[in-house]
Amino acid sequence: MSEQGNKGTAVVTGASSGIGAVYADRLAGQGHDLVLVARRADRLEELAEKLRYAYGHKVSVIGADLSDDNDVRRVEQAISADDSVTLLVNNAGLGGAQVVATADADVAERMIKVNVIALTRLTRAVLPGFLARNRGAIVNIASVLAFDTSFGGIYSGTKAYVVNFTEALQREVAGTEVKVQVVLPGATRTDFWELAGSDIDSLPKEIIMTADDMVDAALVGLARGETVTVPALADAAKLDTFLGARQAFYGSLHANKPAARYGV
């Protein structure tokens, strides 16, 4: 059974394996009912049955491909109409090291739909209810590659969107009891890499984190009220320095005349 009383319903996308499955397990253990969303409905139901038995909570499944517009709208309708939802984990994502010149345009579009559009629409689906009830949390899974384009600009670009979107969302909910968090995993051992056509074992083993450790750290960050959580970052002051430098840089980008170096 769960360690605590019911905390409402947590919606987890990309829940059939990897990071999403670990989130589902941990959140059920914390006292949440669950709505699990993923394309592989058979694996979802297998996980759901396991969690029902282990924790005694209600676990519902929605088989949906979040690159499909109709499926996204179906999930939107289900979660926006459910007043028991108190947590949304936007974990579903597609990866790949495609460069623009040789990328399959349909594959790139599918990645953008899952990583950006579905995440945005599902957030929009639950946020009004969270604000009305002054309760709830939204967790968006980005990547450290939001700050590095070496894995391909398409994937990196989608994750940079997730970071900016979530930081702006935090300002939007400031002063309420609604929490917003963006999580930036580094290399994490899941089947994501194989599906993206990459070999995680080509990386140094000392930088590869387990999904269990990643999620456990992210949940600690959420409990502490962190807006940006980087599980592998040892020195939190570096994040503050980075974010502060970025804000200071932004402040230098405005003037009523072009900079003198342009000679205009």
Side-chain angles (χ1 to χ4, degrees):
M1 294 296 290
S2 64
E3 297 175 0
Q4 304 177 36
N6 191 284
K7 292 185 173 181
T9 300
V11 179
V12 183
T13 69
S16 61
S17 64
I19 290 171
V22 177
Y23 262 109
D25 177 81
R26 299 301 194 266
L27 293 171
Q30 288 183 1
H32 290 272
D33 289 335
L34 298 173
V35 174
L36 306 181
V37 181
R39 182 174 52 84
R40 294 174 287 188
D42 55 337
R43 294 183 65 171
L44 271 186
E45 188 53 55
E46 182 180 339
L47 174 62
E49 186 57 35
K50 174 183 173 183
L51 296 175
R52 293 182 194 114
Y53 177 80
Y55 299 109
H57 284 291
K58 179 182 177 182
V59 183
S60 303
V61 303
I62 303 177
D65 180 349
L66 295 183
S67 70
D68 181 276
D69 294 345
N70 292 328
D71 279 9
V72 172
R73 283 160 177 73
R74 183 161 52 85
V75 178
E76 281 182 85
Q77 291 170 2
I79 65 177
S80 64
D82 187 349
D83 289 346
S84 75
V85 174
T86 55
L87 174 61
L88 169 65
V89 180
N90 277 311
N91 166 72
L94 297 177
Q98 296 97 335
V99 294
V100 176
T102 58
D104 182 300
D106 291 335
V107 171
E109 180 181 7
R110 187 164 180 258
M111 186 186 300
I112 294 166
K113 282 186 170 183
V114 175
N115 296 7
V116 173
I117 296 174
L119 176 143
T120 304
R121 293 191 68 101
L122 297 186
T123 298
R124 175 61 182 79
V126 300
L127 185 59
F130 285 2
L131 291 172
R133 295 185 290 273
N134 199 30
R135 180 191 183 198
I138 296 167
V139 176
N140 292 328
I141 308 300
S143 167
V144 295
L145 292 174
F147 303 133
D148 180 10
T149 58
S150 62
F151 198 63
I154 301 169
Y155 178 75
S156 174
T158 67
K159 294 305 183 178
Y161 172 89
V162 174
V163 173
N164 285 1
F165 175 78
T166 311
E167 287 186 294
L169 196 62
Q170 173 58 40
R171 287 192 289 274
E172 187 175 338
V173 304
T176 76
E177 294 300 315
V178 178
K179 294 182 178 180
V180 175
Q181 178 197 36
V182 62
V183 181
L184 286 80
T188 307
R189 187 173 291 282
T190 70
D191 62 0
F192 173 88
W193 291 78
E194 182 180 352
L195 294 172
S198 300
D199 180 10
I200 193 172
D201 289 318
S202 65
L203 301 176
K205 63 181 181 180
E206 60 269 19
I207 72 166
I208 301 174
M209 190 177 293
T210 67
D212 294 78
D213 284 346
M214 200 293 294
V215 173
D216 288 340
L219 287 171
V220 171
L222 179 64
R224 291 177 176 174
E226 293 181 353
T227 300
V228 182
T229 295
V230 189
L233 182 63
D235 184 357
K238 289 184 176 181
L239 178 61
D240 293 336
T241 299
F242 170 76
L243 296 176
R246 188 184 61 176
Q247 191 60 38
F249 174 69
Y250 175 75
S252 68
L253 302 181
H254 305 274
N256 64 349
K257 295 289 185 181
R261 62 195 178 91
Y262 291 109
V264 176

